[in-house]
Amino acid sequence: MVKKKSDSSGEIAKSHFVRCRYCGQKNNVRDDYKNNDANCGKCKLPLSNEPHKKFADLTKHEYIHPADSKALAALRAIPGIDTALRKFLAVTFEAAMRVNFMASAVKITPKQYPDLHAKLQVACTTLGVDMPDFFLQQNPLVNAFTFGMERHVIVLHSALIERLNDEETLAVIAHEVGHIHAEHVLYLTAARIFELLTRVSLSMIPGGELAKFILNTTIASALLAWARRAELSCDRAALLVVQDPYVVGKTMMKLAGGTFASKMDYEQFLEQGREFQKHCDENQLDNFWANIINAGQTHPFPIWRVAEILRWVDSGQYGELMKK
Ligand SMILES: [Zn+2]
Ligand SMILES: [Zn+2]
């Protein structure tokens, strides 16, 4: 449909509708508009006539990182682990965490931060996941996380949306939705709680004997080793949603180097990633992770993650999935 309206110079500019490739919203644009010149009024993502793939029946086995499945299999081989973790989370923190976010963070809905809500919808429809609860919390630490067994909850820190542009924000939301799609949430919630608990005494933890079972070193180290590797699978899920490796790489670059990413050289950053991977074998990485966890960080190594995601693209697996 063609409409006419006046532009600032008073001349009549012709306009037409472009349907947002991400969320499906109809947007009115000028006829001389080019791809990515304007953003969608609903999800705020760049408008273009490029297609956007939605996966009808994606299974986690189609994109999961081998290091993730290997570490998860080792974790699941511990007798009674699933039941123990479920009980532990039920008696300890799930309810408390949920109340905490209800009380201290802003719940994102179609009327509250509608563009973030629309981005979550884009990620969920692309991967085929039910909408979780979604919160934005004031926090200067650039981070996002997912928890909750009874009902999944995704939390974004305010610093994250202040630093990232709309496409990069979608990449982070899609990474979190990936944790749900890849069935990580039980173990992820446990890992997160474990990280918090390393800083308090065992006697303060509700759940008594159960807590001691969960917090024994075998389980804890299996859990934490897995949690780092799970990130790699979800970076792949993020790529399946944003459908542009450059956006995922640039998001990592900002996570590594802060907001001044416009002054950073992306090619140099990729080179740094390749260097890192060359010098770090698996064992060294495990030691490194231990140090990082002790320093209280949950999503380490943007450099390494970007090298991993590019390796996946180079392997051809990403391209195969996009053609499916
Ligand atoms: Zn849109
Ligand atoms: Zn993650």
Side-chain angles (χ1 to χ4, degrees), residues 148-285:
M149 289 313 301
E150 280 183 13
R151 193 171 159 76
H152 299 318
V153 181
I154 293 178
V155 179
L156 297 184
H157 283 175
S158 56
L160 193 97
I161 56 166
E162 286 157 14
R163 295 249 178 113
L164 303 181
N165 72 19
D166 288 283
E167 282 175 296
E168 295 154 0
T169 303
L170 175 66
V172 170
I173 294 171
H175 171 104
E176 296 305 321
V177 173
H179 280 308
I180 298 173
H181 188 268
E183 298 174 293
H184 285 161
V185 186
L186 169 66
Y187 301 102
L188 208 60
T189 310
R192 188 173 166 76
I193 287 170
F194 175 78
E195 284 165 356
L196 296 173
L197 293 187
T198 51
R199 281 162 240 156
V200 299
S201 124
L202 253 186
S203 61
M204 290 166 62
I205 303 166
E209 287 307 303
L210 198 56
K212 281 189 197 130
F213 171 72
I214 301 296
L215 293 175
N216 83 48
T217 41
T218 316
I219 294 180
S221 56
L223 197 58
L224 294 181
W226 165 78
R228 307 307 121 190
R229 289 164 169 86
E231 298 308 326
L232 303 179
S233 300
C234 294
D235 290 341
R236 293 178 175 188
L239 177 58
L240 291 176
V241 172
V242 299
Q243 301 175 8
D244 182 352
Y246 177 64
V247 172
V248 176
K250 225 158 48 63
T251 309
M252 299 293 167
M253 188 161 87
K254 281 196 186 174
L255 294 178
T259 329
F260 295 104
S262 59
K263 293 184 182 147
M264 289 195 262
D265 185 315
Y266 185 62
E267 278 308 314
Q268 288 292 315
F269 180 70
L270 296 186
E271 194 45 47
Q272 193 185 336
R274 286 183 206 110
E275 273 294 293
F276 179 88
Q277 209 162 36
K278 218 163 59 193
H279 295 300
C280 245
D281 65 27
E282 277 276 298
N283 286 339
Q284 278 174 307
L285 272 178

Side-chain angles (χ1 to χ4, degrees), residues 8-290:
S8 52
S9 64
E11 283 174 30
I12 301 293
K14 279 189 181 165
S15 65
H16 65 282
F17 284 121
V18 170
R19 198 174 277 284
C20 172
R21 70 195 193 107
Y22 296 101
C23 75
Q25 171 90 351
K26 271 166 86 183
N27 288 267
N28 198 10
V29 294
R30 287 168 59 128
D31 270 358
D32 55 359
Y33 137 96
K34 304 232 171 17
N35 277 355
N36 302 315
D37 262 1
N39 288 50
C40 169
K42 187 178 174 194
C43 68
K44 304 288 182 213
L45 292 161
L47 284 174
S48 84
N49 296 314
E50 300 286 314
H52 186 261
K53 186 175 173 64
K54 306 280 191 280
F55 295 88
D57 50 7
L58 183 72
T59 71
K60 63 172 185 171
H61 305 289
E62 290 171 282
Y63 65 87
I64 217 91
H65 193 285
D68 171 6
S69 20
K70 221 173 94 194
L72 192 61
L75 184 64
R76 283 196 159 148
I78 299 169
I81 181 88
D82 266 47
T83 356
L85 282 181
R86 270 173 216 282
K87 269 194 206 150
F88 173 65
L89 297 182
V91 294
T92 54
F93 293 91
E94 181 163 348
M97 277 171 89
R98 189 179 301 276
V99 171
N100 174 31
F101 288 110
M102 260 306 187
S104 68
V106 175
K107 187 168 185 188
I108 299 168
T109 68
K111 288 186 175 165
Q112 185 73 282
Y113 292 109
D115 66 293
L116 289 177
H117 188 267
K119 287 183 182 78
L120 177 67
Q121 225 158 16
V122 168
C124 287
T125 49
T126 306
L127 295 174
V129 170
D130 290 338
M131 289 282 281
D133 286 340
F134 196 22
F135 290 95
L136 181 67
Q137 189 180 46
Q138 196 292 118
N139 194 314
L141 194 70
V142 179
N143 200 9
F145 54 91
T146 304
F147 73 94
M149 289 313 301
E150 280 183 13
R151 193 171 159 76
H152 299 318
V153 181
I154 293 178
V155 179
L156 297 184
H157 283 175
S158 56
L160 193 97
I161 56 166
E162 286 157 14
R163 295 249 178 113
L164 303 181
N165 72 19
D166 288 283
E167 282 175 296
E168 295 154 0
T169 303
L170 175 66
V172 170
I173 294 171
H175 171 104
E176 296 305 321
V177 173
H179 280 308
I180 298 173
H181 188 268
E183 298 174 293
H184 285 161
V185 186
L186 169 66
Y187 301 102
L188 208 60
T189 310
R192 188 173 166 76
I193 287 170
F194 175 78
E195 284 165 356
L196 296 173
L197 293 187
T198 51
R199 281 162 240 156
V200 299
S201 124
L202 253 186
S203 61
M204 290 166 62
I205 303 166
E209 287 307 303
L210 198 56
K212 281 189 197 130
F213 171 72
I214 301 296
L215 293 175
N216 83 48
T217 41
T218 316
I219 294 180
S221 56
L223 197 58
L224 294 181
W226 165 78
R228 307 307 121 190
R229 289 164 169 86
E231 298 308 326
L232 303 179
S233 300
C234 294
D235 290 341
R236 293 178 175 188
L239 177 58
L240 291 176
V241 172
V242 299
Q243 301 175 8
D244 182 352
Y246 177 64
V247 172
V248 176
K250 225 158 48 63
T251 309
M252 299 293 167
M253 188 161 87
K254 281 196 186 174
L255 294 178
T259 329
F260 295 104
S262 59
K263 293 184 182 147
M264 289 195 262
D265 185 315
Y266 185 62
E267 278 308 314
Q268 288 292 315
F269 180 70
L270 296 186
E271 194 45 47
Q272 193 185 336
R274 286 183 206 110
E275 273 294 293
F276 179 88
Q277 209 162 36
K278 218 163 59 193
H279 295 300
C280 245
D281 65 27
E282 277 276 298
N283 286 339
Q284 278 174 307
L285 272 178
D286 274 340
N287 290 335
F288 224 39
W289 272 321

